Amino acid sequence: MSDALAPITPGSVIGIVGGGQLGRMTAVAAAELGYRVHVFTPEANSPTEQVCEKAFVAPYDDEAAIDAFGQSVDVITFEFENIPAETVRKLSRHAPVRPGWKCLEICQNRVKEKTFATGLGIETAPWREVRSASELAQAIQEIGAPAILKTNTLGYDGKGQVRIRPDTDAASAWAELGADVGVLEGFIDFTMEISVITARRPSGVMASFDVVENRHKDGILDITIAPAKISETLADKARTVAQQLTQAMDMVGLLAVEMFVTQDGHILVNEMAPRPHNSGHWTQDACTTSQFEQFVRAVTGLPLGSTQRHSDAVMKNLIGHDADPWLDILANPDNKLHLYGKNEARPGRKMGHINRLFPKGSQPRGWGN
Ligand code: AMP
């Protein structure tokens, strides 16, 4: 067995870059498999720090912190992908970095992401790269309105987006975006938003979880319904697209792919994330292996676990003050409550989530029905 394929053994230290709830839930899953976790994050008392062995709290470009963290771990992964290339390069001097830079680079940048998907023959919404108000005006002419103008980098949870209507003035929309590079996307009148999470080991073996439906509120994920109520043919197509992207990226770890299902039954790729994803939280309670355990298995080179779904599930995000009535939430014994250890509830901030399970095949339609 070559070194790259030798498993990183339980008892070793997994280094996680990023200190949010995804790192926290990964650290808990890592502990269940006997690993120790160190986190590197600019945030003091982060959700991940609260549950791991050691935290390196410093900006992502702090060279001394990069070296100290890198030297203290056996493998490095990310719960947050917007990391400078230079940081990733320096970290890779100390330990294997999984996934590698190629995956992060593609997923950090909408132009690269869409170009990559298109290169594989995978469909996306029509789009144009724009670098000025006049390029935006030209792109609106070509794509038409309604459309959505997005920042090329650093967009998440609907942030960094401007809606373009037929009467929108290109110059003011460009000023509102406030970025050097933008992407104008045609507005898709989708029937459903879906996502697929795929794990891939260093050996190339892959496993995907079931396709799920995602419903957003104000650009932020509100609920995930597992499985998505779509035909087997469409579900197969979505899994195939997700695995094609995962393989072509040479991903080691998890790749979450968000897609739109169009009125005429096409699947368009919207966004990818090279890490555990909010739309995979339902797996914690409804699958043999959670996305977090699968992530740990993939980056340490362990055999992947079964992705089998033993129940249908609905996941609801608790945003801002939604988690304040935690005691009432717990009073319903069917609510599986997960809280992230964040002290301050700010608008739009993800504080926790609830998973509810349903007998398989019962087809839950939403939250509370
Ligand atoms: P994003 O940050 O790109 O994932 O966008 C956040 C949400 O905005 C998506 O989950 C969709 O609900 C909506 N959205 C983004 N792009 C489009 C599009 N091209 N057409 C329609 N809705 C979109």
Side-chain angles (χ1 to χ4, degrees):
M1 196 184 285
S2 77
D3 271 348
L5 296 186
I8 290 161
T9 51
S12 306
V13 182
I14 301 174
I16 300 180
V17 180
Q21 64 270 13
L22 301 175
R24 177 188 180 93
M25 292 183 275
T26 302
V28 170
E32 286 180 341
L33 282 169
Y35 292 97
R36 294 146 59 204
V37 168
H38 293 177
V39 65
F40 178 25
T41 170
E43 188 192 351
N45 188 30
S46 63
T48 311
E49 173 172 357
Q50 293 168 12
V51 301
C52 77
E53 185 179 76
K54 197 159 182 199
F56 296 77
V57 180
Y60 289 128
D61 58 0
D62 181 319
E63 299 211 6
I66 293 172
D67 287 340
F69 168 73
Q71 281 159 12
S72 78
V73 301
D74 298 294
V75 64
I76 296 168
T77 192
F78 307 87
E79 66 101 54
F80 173 75
E81 63 271 29
N82 290 313
I83 302 293
E86 193 51 18
T87 304
V88 178
R89 199 181 62 75
K90 286 182 179 145
L91 286 173
S92 66
R93 292 202 296 243
H94 297 292
V97 171
R98 296 174 175 168
W101 173 241
K102 180 181 173 187
C103 305
L104 299 176
E105 186 186 28
I106 292 169
C107 298
Q108 285 182 354
N109 182 305
R110 290 189 195 272
V111 169
K112 289 193 173 136
E113 190 172 58
K114 289 176 195 304
T115 307
F116 180 73
T118 309
L120 295 171
I122 292 169
E123 288 184 273
T124 66
W127 64 280
R128 295 286 184 281
E129 180 178 349
V130 289
R131 290 170 178 269
S132 65
S134 62
E135 283 188 18
L136 175 60
Q138 174 69 27
I140 296 172
Q141 290 252 308
E142 288 167 18
I143 287 187
I148 303 186
L149 178 64
K150 300 181 180 180
T151 53
N152 187 35
T153 56
L154 300 174
Y156 68 99
D157 283 348
K159 293 196 176 74
Q161 300 194 1
V162 180
R163 286 288 289 272
I164 306 288
R165 299 188 167 76
D167 59 353
T168 301
D169 169 53
S172 46
W174 181 248
E176 192 184 332
L177 188 72
D180 293 339
V181 185
V183 171
L184 183 75
E185 272 183 40
F187 186 84
I188 305 301
D189 183 21
F190 52 75
T191 56
M192 192 184 282
E193 288 190 78
I194 59 172
S195 61
V196 181
I197 295 172
T198 303
R200 186 167 177 274
R201 293 178 67 185
S203 66
V205 171
M206 290 188 277
S208 297
F209 289 99
D210 283 335
V211 184
V212 297
E213 174 183 352
N214 299 315
R215 295 187 190 162
H216 293 80
K217 233 192 230 168
D218 305 324
I220 306 180
L221 183 65
D222 178 30
I223 63 170
T224 294
I225 301 173
K229 309 297 172 301
I230 53 175
S231 69
E232 246 333 288
T233 317
L234 213 51
D236 278 347
K237 173 93 199 296
R239 271 192 297 265
T240 303
V241 163
Q243 295 204 353
Q244 242 183 306
L245 290 162
T246 307
Q247 186 158 2
M249 232 181 255
D250 199 17
M251 162 63 62
V252 174
L254 293 189
L255 185 71
V257 184
E258 294 183 74
M259 310 173 214
F260 300 131
V261 179
T262 64
Q263 304 285 344
D264 54 358
H266 282 246
I267 285 178
L268 309 181
V269 167
N270 175 34
E271 264 198 333
M272 300 189 277
R275 52 165 171 77
H277 193 255
N278 197 167
S279 70
H281 291 358
W282 64 279
T283 61
Q284 291 176 304
D285 297 303
C287 291
T288 307
T289 312
S290 75
Q291 65 162 345
F292 300 103
E293 178 179 341
Q294 197 76 312
F295 183 45
V296 170
R297 286 171 178 250
V299 300
T300 56
L302 298 185
L304 297 180
S306 163
T307 55
Q308 196 184 7
R309 173 177 50 82
H310 54 70
S311 305
D312 289 357
V314 181
M315 186 283 314
K316 176 154 182 68
N317 265 340
L318 301 174
I319 314 253
H321 288 286
D322 291 353
D324 290 358
W326 52 270
L327 196 52
D328 295 335
I329 294 169
L330 286 169
N332 178 344
D334 290 335
N335 285 335
K336 275 289 286 182
L337 176 64
H338 299 256
L339 294 175
Y340 306 151
K342 298 180 184 176
N343 291 333
E344 195 195 338
R346 290 193 294 267
R349 193 174 197 206
K350 292 174 179 168
M351 304 299 289
H353 64 272
I354 305 169
N355 285 334
R356 270 191 204 160
L357 302 186
F358 301 84
K360 219 173 156 177
S362 62
Q363 308 233 321
R365 290 265 160 226
W367 189 247
N369 51 18

